Amino acid sequence: MIIVLRPQATAAEAQDILARIEQAGLQPLHMPGSERVVLGALGDERVLAGLHLDSHPMVESVKPILTPYKLVSRETHPHDTVVHIGSGESTTAIGGTALAIIAGPCAVETHDQMLNTARAVKAAGASALRAGAFKPRTSPYGFAGHGEEGLKILRSVGDEVGLPVVTEVMDTADIDTVAQYADALQIGARNMHNFALLRAVGAAGKPVLLKRGIAAKIDEWLLAAEYILAAGNPDVVLVERGIRTFETATRNTLDLNAVPYVRQRTHLPVLVDPSHGTGIRDLVAPMALASVACGADGLLIEVHEDPEQALSDGAQSLYPAQFDGLMRALAPVAAAVGRTL
Amino acid sequence: MIIVLRPQATAAEAQDILARIEQAGLQPLHMPGSERVVLGALGDERVLAGLHLDSHPMVESVKPILTPYKLVSRETHPHDTVVHIGSGESTTAIGGTALAIIAGPCAVETHDQMLNTARAVKAAGASALRAGAFKPRTSPYGFAGHGEEGLKILRSVGDEVGLPVVTEVMDTADIDTVAQYADALQIGARNMHNFALLRAVGAAGKPVLLKRGIAAKIDEWLLAAEYILAAGNPDVVLVERGIRTFETATRNTLDLNAVPYVRQRTHLPVLVDPSHGTGIRDLVAPMALASVACGADGLLIEVHEDPEQALSDGAQSLYPAQFDGLMRALAPVAAAVGRTL
Amino acid sequence: MIIVLRPQATAAEAQDILARIEQAGLQPLHMPGSERVVLGALGDERVLAGLHLDSHPMVESVKPILTPYKLVSRETHPHDTVVHIGSGESTTAIGGTALAIIAGPCAVETHDQMLNTARAVKAAGASALRAGAFKPRTSPYGFAGHGEEGLKILRSVGDEVGLPVVTEVMDTADIDTVAQYADALQIGARNMHNFALLRAVGAAGKPVLLKRGIAAKIDEWLLAAEYILAAGNPDVVLVERGIRTFETATRNTLDLNAVPYVRQRTHLPVLVDPSHGTGIRDLVAPMALASVACGADGLLIEVHEDPEQALSDGAQSLYPAQFDGLMRALAPVAAAVGRTL
Amino acid sequence: MIIVLRPQATAAEAQDILARIEQAGLQPLHMPGSERVVLGALGDERVLAGLHLDSHPMVESVKPILTPYKLVSRETHPHDTVVHIGSGESTTAIGGTALAIIAGPCAVETHDQMLNTARAVKAAGASALRAGAFKPRTSPYGFAGHGEEGLKILRSVGDEVGLPVVTEVMDTADIDTVAQYADALQIGARNMHNFALLRAVGAAGKPVLLKRGIAAKIDEWLLAAEYILAAGNPDVVLVERGIRTFETATRNTLDLNAVPYVRQRTHLPVLVDPSHGTGIRDLVAPMALASVACGADGLLIEVHEDPEQALSDGAQSLYPAQFDGLMRALAPVAAAVGRTL
């Protein structure tokens, strides 16, 4: 950690801070420059955080050297983590050579809707089924999902077509219920900083898909994953789903830079959700191809048997035939970057 | 609601959509232009949302006319809401002529720290006490607060100095506990889109301070407040605390435009938190003055008896003497805009 | 154009605005709703802009229906524009089936540096050479380029290796000089809203590469292109190079959503610059593959014979061997989406 | 400057970099930590920039210690700069105790419009007159100003009412013409990074009002001012006018944090433009009060004798009576923070 002092800091104040660094068990460094005195502290920076040097009135800035996360870092765990969801024959691996394609409607609406969509995505080659029973909605007047009734439909349809199922959990009070039906728990973008929820899914015994918050820096996203690993759950899958920027032509700005960036820094697998990342049906397929080309381990795609009648997110849901076309277009791109479908 | 069709939409498709608008009980309008056909639907747009016209492949865009919120709107409730927190002599009103100044440390650390700080802010003129017992922390390794033990300290210190107390609740599972000790519940910026929590505090029987999310548009912030009112709780106070932008010189960008903007659109009172809004101790006082000058109903200010030793947010916490100086500087500015301290 | 009136607008005020719409030669529409009166105006919205209805105190909002650009729109010009740069054998087409790969150092430094780099990128398959002689630099103390001397080196090296050359122009005063040496003029991100420069390159008789501004919405980028076409120059190539967001892990956030989005809306070709779009050498190759996968017509890539010695942008410049590797990796991805190198 | 090496950097590579630091005349520092080797270089960091250490493949990151600007820094020039515009009796000082209030229409339209507006703002207490003759417009079809004819009107009206005049210059080719008529040259937000223009106004012999770019970090804004000072012109006034963020309720997000922040770092005076900073007429007055409360040296306000007929920016222009009301409301706020009107 590097500590830059203000110009008016005295030698005594510098010595006082150096003494505090040494007392914390770290190695202090004194670098007096012509315009600023710079101090250093070598060692575990998380210990140093307890000194709160950024609060000192004579400290201008504090610059950490090490990443704030450990368990998710590729430095401490160089090999790729592969997360398995589901059980028996329908188990899907996320993070290996084969791409994971998780598809389905935004929300569980009816058994028929789920079954028709599930059959279509399975036939086109999807490896898992997604749909929401608890839906985060910006307005209190929007359709908020069917709750446990929806979970039952999802589970039964998943079993019928032979696909593992992924669904969102929004409240610590619902985790046991959701975990009873789902093969993997999804933390939505709005809850990436719901730390109570992160700790709780860390103890739930199911793999977790962690979506990036719409205003989350990559380091914050990795720290959210660190929460889950620190709570004892190593099976975390990161999902890039677009960030909020000044651009309003698309619903979000899909930050594909994040895909190769996090793959260099973490051993966890990374998926991309081009449905939320664009919010526009016609952009989903090209951005799905781009996601795989830059190294994503798979995709999360919204597909609805009849998007015009979807209760939510219809504008970004693919028609089954479009999803089938996407899967066909994806095959040669996957092969071009050494992946399989 | 205005529905713009794609250039290739046929007359039959336009008629079909008009029929769906009419079936929903709304008045349809047909506006054929030279380059686009535009349709209109007059009536309650929330009914129309159920038609999901934005999902239609021949719809280019949908433009709502009315605001998506109702209960929080000044149109349906023209007079200012005044929210009272606390009981007996120490009750404080937020939203009237007198400014509400809620001050205290980021976190409850010890009884002595709370008491010293509480006495200092009370002496300087604060009208309520704030401190966190459940702390949201970006890193799982940060100090996360003392939980119920912290709530007990906060309550006892508030009673001792005669100030109502405000504290954050982060999880639906903690609401009953927090409501037992606190006079008002704070929803933090990271939880503004935690809809389960919004609904739950809507039923908790205590006033709620609702911080704006770091990436929340003003309409989304007002819809979050709508969740709480729709759940039966009319006592909501909005808190602007800075948004995330490209600027990194300050911790957040305090969006003071939002203060007069929301005051025109809602009857709910609005506070500003310049501590989180800047993240820099030396900027807190000037931005506090600016907040009051543009119409805020009060302030949320972090003060610590010894910021260098603070367990969190020390860099943005005022020394007690600085808070006292701020209150003295604030008095003439408040008077200049017709407010009292 | 849709005009939403404020709740307090009178019937007389509505009639007055309708009369103004009619006088402007457009068809007025009156849509009285339960909470708002909505007016419409059918016809050329650019005429209507002259009425300045958004300035009217009783107008709440104005919602345009049509795009603000015409000449660059695919609606008025459905077929892809192909822009040719260079002359004779070394001519390169941008916008056809073959991808255009424009590579070279950030800045012209010396003849040897240019020649070595040019030979390397030509050998690896680049179709044009890029380098700056006039460099925009955030600091007045940075290396600002060699000016005309640099242009001479660039031209002579381009001729020697047989590649057309592209370089930036920053000031209307330099256009004649730059156009004398370059095969295409680049407008940098910082000058996308330099309207005097846009008009001037519109009259310069050379193709223009128009980079997107770091805070430019897609519509603004297309309007900047419209400036150049309106000034008589149809040969405009759009370049996505990343936008500024809250994310600081990368230099910019490459907005690949923009690629399929603009390809649907404009007939002009679109390149991507993953060097500026990421700012990190190790991310350039994966993002180059992603760019082609989502439909870009080519790439702009910074390559330096010795990045450690580069006078600018060394951290994002590829080593020649890395560029060669990128070209090899690109070939199967290009083939997968129906393009050639 | 602090240089963090990658984990895989060898001791020889570290030694090589230390040798380069020493050869550049700076003092090298070696700080081997448990997970990273950190190097330091003490001395003038601008010399060090010439080493391009960020390009080195074994360098993970480079952290500067000193600000990149010098001439504009309060460290090298502790006392406030006061900039005088105009001559004779109508001279106005920007940066002293008295606030500078620069008001007028967005664009020069006609002599009558200018004269009526100028008389109104003068009567209400404005200290200078503003209006554009060269207008930056997002669309090539917008009103771009009357050019030199507009400058003549502005000059003659300024002389008639006794107010100095400020107007924008957009192109190096126009500087001599604009400087002939104007008392101060304005650089608009879109040109803050037009470095050729910055250098040219640095040599033009007139004070410069430098608006912050819509995506400019504060450091970049100060570096743009540094360009002008480095070119020999010490009379620079900074103007905060809002930045682009995700919030679309207002035209821009006025970043008032920047006012006290830059006042601490630079000796140059700072104005605020709440007209562009909000884009909404009803928000201009409250944000003007806030600007003065947090330390601005004055305001730039758009006023039009008849905003409904304004050729540009009518929606954010005040009616003369509103401007008069603003000036009356401003007086006690100014007094409250020790300023005069």
Side-chain angles (χ1 to χ4, degrees):
Chain A
M1 186 176 276
I2 302 297
I3 301 111
V4 183
L5 301 188
R6 296 194 170 200
Q8 59 267 41
T10 64
E13 286 164 329
Q15 285 307 322
D16 172 62
I17 293 173
L18 289 169
R20 286 166 65 180
I21 291 169
E22 200 160 10
Q23 281 159 21
L26 298 163
Q27 182 189 338
L29 276 164
H30 189 214
M31 299 173 270
S34 54
E35 301 181 36
R36 288 285 188 292
V37 171
V38 177
L39 308 180
L42 303 182
D44 185 343
E45 298 190 342
R46 285 176 289 165
V47 168
L48 210 59
L51 293 184
H52 309 294
L53 293 177
D54 60 340
S55 308
H56 195 288
M58 282 303 127
V59 169
E60 188 170 277
S61 64
V62 166
K63 299 171 195 286
I65 299 298
L66 303 178
T67 60
Y69 45 83
K70 290 279 172 192
L71 302 175
V72 305
S73 172
R74 199 176 272 284
E75 290 187 32
T76 54
H77 184 307
H79 299 296
D80 288 354
T81 287
V82 177
V83 174
H84 294 86
I85 64 174
S87 56
E89 284 190 14
S90 72
T91 304
T92 284
I94 309 179
T97 302
L99 297 173
I101 310 293
I102 305 175
C106 177
V108 180
E109 297 169 7
T110 65
H111 188 275
D112 278 3
Q113 167 247 14
M114 276 309 303
L115 187 60
N116 291 338
T117 306
R119 282 177 174 155
V121 301
K122 166 92 175 179
S127 41
L129 185 63
R130 57 143 290 154
F134 295 95
K135 300 299 307 169
R137 299 306 300 268
T138 307
S139 165
Y141 309 118
F143 169 61
H146 290 315
E148 187 166 0
E149 206 49 50
L151 295 173
K152 288 179 184 169
I153 295 174
L154 179 63
R155 176 77 270 161
S156 105
V157 168
D159 289 344
E160 185 166 347
V161 300
L163 288 176
V165 300
V166 178
T167 198
E168 179 165 353
V169 60
M170 291 169 59
D171 189 3
T172 52
D174 299 326
I175 288 181
D176 289 346
T177 307
V178 177
Q180 185 184 337
Y181 296 100
D183 296 304
L185 308 176
Q186 181 177 306
I187 301 290
R190 293 179 180 85
N191 280 313
M192 194 206 82
H193 269 157
N194 182 338
F195 302 118
L197 189 61
L198 296 177
R199 279 196 206 95
V201 297
K206 294 272 181 166
V208 177
L209 270 66
L210 177 65
K211 288 199 158 188
R212 181 180 179 185
I214 61 165
K217 295 191 181 199
I218 292 173
D219 267 12
E220 295 170 340
W221 186 24
L222 293 178
L223 278 168
E226 184 92 357
Y227 259 94
I228 303 172
L229 270 73
N233 187 343
D235 290 326
V236 175
V237 178
L238 300 166
V239 185
E240 161 64 33
R241 46 76 74 207
I243 57 174
R244 181 163 276 183
T245 69
F246 64 82
E247 181 56 74
T248 54
T250 47
R251 178 172 175 182
N252 291 291
T253 296
L254 191 63
D255 180 14
L256 290 186
N257 278 354
V259 174
Y261 187 89
V262 300
R263 279 179 57 85
Q264 290 172 11
R265 275 157 191 76
T266 183
H267 51 89
L268 300 174
V270 185
L271 304 182
V272 175
D273 172 354
S275 304
H276 286 88
T278 64
I280 300 173
R281 187 183 296 139
D282 292 350
L283 303 187
V284 172
M287 298 315 290
L289 303 189
S291 302
V292 169
C294 68
D297 294 303
L299 300 166
L300 214 62
I301 306 267
E302 288 191 347
V303 181
H304 193 286
E305 58 160 344
D306 185 3
E308 296 173 54
Q309 304 299 332
L311 296 183
S312 55
D313 280 356
Q316 70 194 33
S317 295
L318 297 187
Y319 288 82
Q322 288 179 309
F323 179 69
D324 189 62
L326 163 57
M327 292 298 284
R328 288 171 200 274
L330 193 57
V333 174
V337 294
R339 308 296 286 255
T340 58
L341 273 177
Chain B
M1 185 176 280
I2 302 297
I3 302 111
V4 183
L5 301 188
R6 297 193 168 199
Q8 59 267 40
T10 65
E13 286 164 330
Q15 285 308 323
D16 173 61
I17 293 173
L18 289 168
R20 286 165 66 179
I21 291 168
E22 199 159 11
Q23 281 158 22
L26 299 162
Q27 183 188 337
L29 277 163
H30 189 213
M31 298 173 270
S34 53
E35 301 181 35
R36 289 286 188 292
V37 172
V38 178
L39 308 179
L42 303 181
D44 186 343
E45 298 189 343
R46 285 176 290 166
V47 169
L48 210 59
L51 293 184
H52 310 294
L53 294 175
D54 60 341
S55 308
H56 195 288
M58 282 304 126
V59 170
E60 187 170 277
S61 64
V62 166
K63 299 171 195 285
I65 300 299
L66 303 178
T67 60
Y69 45 82
K70 290 280 171 190
L71 303 175
V72 305
S73 172
R74 198 176 272 285
E75 290 187 31
T76 54
H77 184 307
H79 299 296
D80 287 354
T81 287
V82 177
V83 174
H84 294 85
I85 63 174
S87 56
E89 283 190 14
S90 72
T91 303
T92 284
I94 308 179
T97 302
L99 298 173
I101 311 293
I102 305 175
C106 177
V108 180
E109 297 169 8
T110 66
H111 189 276
D112 279 3
Q113 168 247 14
M114 276 309 304
L115 186 60
N116 291 338
T117 306
R119 282 177 174 155
V121 301
K122 167 93 174 176
S127 42
L129 185 63
R130 56 142 291 154
F134 295 94
K135 302 297 308 169
R137 299 307 300 268
T138 307
S139 165
Y141 309 118
F143 170 60
H146 289 315
E148 188 166 0
E149 206 48 50
L151 295 173
K152 288 179 185 169
I153 294 174
L154 179 63
R155 176 77 271 161
S156 105
V157 168
D159 290 344
E160 185 167 346
V161 300
L163 289 176
V165 299
V166 179
T167 198
E168 180 164 352
V169 60
M170 290 170 59
D171 189 3
T172 52
D174 298 326
I175 288 181
D176 289 347
T177 307
V178 176
Q180 186 184 336
Y181 296 100
D183 296 304
L185 307 176
Q186 181 178 306
I187 301 290
R190 291 179 181 84
N191 279 313
M192 194 205 83
H193 268 156
N194 182 339
F195 301 118
L197 189 61
L198 295 178
R199 279 196 206 94
V201 297
K206 294 271 181 167
V208 176
L209 271 66
L210 177 65
K211 289 199 157 188
R212 181 179 180 187
I214 60 166
K217 295 192 181 198
I218 291 173
D219 267 12
E220 295 170 340
W221 187 22
L222 294 178
L223 277 169
E226 183 92 358
Y227 259 94
I228 303 172
L229 270 75
N233 188 342
D235 291 326
V236 175
V237 178
L238 300 166
V239 185
E240 161 63 34
R241 47 76 74 206
I243 57 175
R244 179 163 277 182
T245 70
F246 65 81
E247 181 56 75
T248 53
T250 47
R251 180 173 173 180
N252 290 291
T253 296
L254 190 64
D255 180 14
L256 290 186
N257 278 354
V259 174
Y261 186 90
V262 300
R263 279 179 58 84
Q264 291 172 10
R265 273 156 192 78
T266 183
H267 51 91
L268 301 174
V270 185
L271 304 182
V272 175
D273 172 354
S275 304
H276 286 88
T278 63
I280 300 174
R281 188 183 293 140
D282 293 349
L283 302 187
V284 172
M287 297 315 290
L289 303 189
S291 302
V292 168
C294 68
D297 294 302
L299 299 166
L300 213 63
I301 306 268
E302 287 191 348
V303 182
H304 193 286
E305 57 160 344
D306 185 3
E308 296 173 54
Q309 304 299 333
L311 295 183
S312 55
D313 279 356
Q316 70 195 32
S317 295
L318 297 187
Y319 287 83
Q322 287 178 310
F323 179 68
D324 188 62
L326 163 58
M327 292 298 285
R328 289 173 199 274
L330 193 57
V333 174
V337 294
R339 306 299 283 257
T340 58
L341 273 178
Chain C
M1 188 175 277
I2 302 297
I3 301 109
V4 182
L5 300 188
R6 295 193 169 201
Q8 60 267 42
T10 65
E13 286 165 329
Q15 285 307 322
D16 172 62
I17 293 172
L18 289 168
R20 285 164 67 179
I21 291 169
E22 198 159 14
Q23 281 158 21
L26 298 162
Q27 183 189 338
L29 277 164
H30 189 214
M31 298 172 271
S34 54
E35 300 180 36
R36 290 284 189 292
V37 173
V38 178
L39 308 180
L42 304 181
D44 186 343
E45 298 189 344
R46 286 177 289 166
V47 169
L48 209 60
L51 293 185
H52 309 294
L53 293 176
D54 60 340
S55 308
H56 195 289
M58 282 305 125
V59 170
E60 187 171 277
S61 65
V62 166
K63 300 172 195 286
I65 300 297
L66 304 178
T67 61
Y69 45 82
K70 290 281 173 189
L71 303 175
V72 305
S73 172
R74 199 176 271 283
E75 289 187 32
T76 55
H77 185 306
H79 299 295
D80 287 354
T81 286
V82 177
V83 174
H84 295 86
I85 63 173
S87 56
E89 283 189 15
S90 71
T91 304
T92 284
I94 308 178
T97 301
L99 297 173
I101 310 294
I102 306 176
C106 176
V108 180
E109 296 168 10
T110 65
H111 189 276
D112 278 4
Q113 167 247 14
M114 276 308 304
L115 188 58
N116 291 339
T117 307
R119 281 178 173 155
V121 300
K122 167 92 175 180
S127 42
L129 185 64
R130 58 142 291 155
F134 296 94
K135 299 299 308 169
R137 298 308 299 270
T138 307
S139 164
Y141 309 118
F143 170 61
H146 290 316
E148 188 166 1
E149 205 50 48
L151 295 172
K152 287 179 185 169
I153 294 173
L154 178 63
R155 177 76 269 162
S156 104
V157 167
D159 289 344
E160 187 167 345
V161 300
L163 289 175
V165 299
V166 178
T167 198
E168 180 165 352
V169 60
M170 290 170 57
D171 189 3
T172 52
D174 298 325
I175 288 180
D176 288 348
T177 306
V178 176
Q180 186 184 336
Y181 296 99
D183 296 305
L185 307 176
Q186 181 178 307
I187 301 290
R190 293 178 181 84
N191 280 313
M192 194 206 84
H193 269 158
N194 182 338
F195 301 117
L197 189 62
L198 294 177
R199 280 195 206 94
V201 297
K206 294 272 180 166
V208 177
L209 271 65
L210 177 65
K211 288 198 158 186
R212 181 178 179 187
I214 60 165
K217 295 190 181 201
I218 292 173
D219 267 13
E220 295 170 341
W221 185 24
L222 294 178
L223 277 169
E226 184 93 358
Y227 259 94
I228 302 172
L229 269 72
N233 188 343
D235 291 326
V236 175
V237 177
L238 300 166
V239 185
E240 161 63 34
R241 46 77 72 206
I243 57 175
R244 180 163 277 183
T245 71
F246 65 81
E247 181 56 73
T248 53
T250 47
R251 180 173 174 180
N252 292 290
T253 296
L254 190 64
D255 180 14
L256 289 186
N257 278 354
V259 173
Y261 186 90
V262 301
R263 279 179 58 85
Q264 290 173 10
R265 275 156 191 77
T266 182
H267 51 89
L268 300 174
V270 185
L271 304 182
V272 174
D273 171 354
S275 304
H276 286 87
T278 63
I280 299 174
R281 188 184 295 140
D282 292 349
L283 303 187
V284 171
M287 298 314 290
L289 303 189
S291 302
V292 169
C294 69
D297 294 302
L299 300 165
L300 213 63
I301 306 268
E302 288 191 348
V303 182
H304 194 285
E305 56 159 345
D306 185 3
E308 295 173 54
Q309 304 298 332
L311 296 182
S312 54
D313 280 356
Q316 69 194 35
S317 295
L318 297 186
Y319 288 81
Q322 287 178 310
F323 179 69
D324 189 61
L326 163 59
M327 292 298 284
R328 289 173 199 274
L330 193 57
V333 174
V337 294
R339 308 296 286 255
T340 59
L341 275 177
Chain D
M1 184 175 279
I2 301 297
I3 302 111
V4 183
L5 300 188
R6 297 193 169 200
Q8 59 267 41
T10 64
E13 286 164 331
Q15 286 307 323
D16 172 62
I17 293 173
L18 289 169
R20 286 164 68 178
I21 291 169
E22 198 159 13
Q23 281 158 21
L26 298 162
Q27 184 188 337
L29 277 163
H30 189 214
M31 297 172 272
S34 54
E35 300 181 36
R36 289 285 189 291
V37 172
V38 178
L39 309 179
L42 304 180
D44 186 343
E45 297 190 344
R46 284 177 290 166
V47 169
L48 210 60
L51 292 185
H52 309 293
L53 293 176
D54 61 340
S55 308
H56 195 290
M58 282 303 125
V59 169
E60 187 171 278
S61 64
V62 166
K63 300 172 194 286
I65 300 297
L66 303 178
T67 60
Y69 45 82
K70 291 279 172 191
L71 302 175
V72 305
S73 171
R74 199 176 270 284
E75 289 187 32
T76 55
H77 185 306
H79 299 296
D80 287 355
T81 286
V82 177
V83 173
H84 295 86
I85 64 173
S87 55
E89 285 189 13
S90 71
T91 303
T92 284
I94 308 179
T97 301
L99 297 172
I101 310 293
I102 305 175
C106 176
V108 181
E109 296 169 7
T110 67
H111 188 275
D112 278 4
Q113 167 247 14
M114 276 309 305
L115 187 59
N116 291 338
T117 306
R119 282 177 173 154
V121 300
K122 166 91 175 179
S127 43
L129 185 63
R130 59 143 290 156
F134 295 94
K135 300 298 308 168
R137 299 307 300 269
T138 307
S139 165
Y141 309 118
F143 170 61
H146 290 314
E148 187 165 1
E149 207 48 50
L151 295 173
K152 287 179 184 169
I153 294 174
L154 178 63
R155 176 77 269 162
S156 106
V157 167
D159 290 344
E160 187 167 344
V161 300
L163 288 175
V165 299
V166 178
T167 198
E168 179 164 353
V169 59
M170 291 170 58
D171 189 4
T172 52
D174 298 325
I175 287 180
D176 289 347
T177 306
V178 177
Q180 187 185 335
Y181 295 101
D183 296 304
L185 307 176
Q186 180 177 307
I187 301 290
R190 291 179 182 83
N191 280 313
M192 195 206 83
H193 270 157
N194 182 339
F195 302 116
L197 190 61
L198 295 177
R199 280 196 206 94
V201 298
K206 295 271 180 165
V208 176
L209 271 67
L210 177 65
K211 289 198 157 187
R212 181 178 179 187
I214 60 166
K217 295 190 181 200
I218 292 174
D219 267 12
E220 294 170 342
W221 187 23
L222 294 178
L223 277 169
E226 183 94 358
Y227 260 94
I228 303 173
L229 269 73
N233 188 343
D235 291 326
V236 175
V237 178
L238 300 167
V239 185
E240 162 63 34
R241 45 76 74 206
I243 57 175
R244 179 163 278 181
T245 70
F246 65 81
E247 180 56 74
T248 53
T250 48
R251 181 173 173 180
N252 291 290
T253 296
L254 191 63
D255 180 13
L256 290 186
N257 277 355
V259 174
Y261 187 90
V262 301
R263 280 179 58 85
Q264 290 173 9
R265 275 157 190 77
T266 183
H267 52 89
L268 300 174
V270 184
L271 304 182
V272 174
D273 172 355
S275 304
H276 286 87
T278 64
I280 299 174
R281 188 183 295 139
D282 293 348
L283 302 187
V284 172
M287 297 315 290
L289 302 189
S291 302
V292 168
C294 67
D297 295 302
L299 300 165
L300 214 63
I301 306 268
E302 288 191 349
V303 182
H304 193 286
E305 58 159 344
D306 185 1
E308 295 173 54
Q309 304 300 331
L311 295 182
S312 54
D313 279 355
Q316 69 194 34
S317 295
L318 297 186
Y319 288 82
Q322 287 179 309
F323 179 69
D324 188 61
L326 163 58
M327 292 299 285
R328 289 173 200 275
L330 193 57
V333 174
V337 294
R339 309 297 287 255
T340 59
L341 273 178

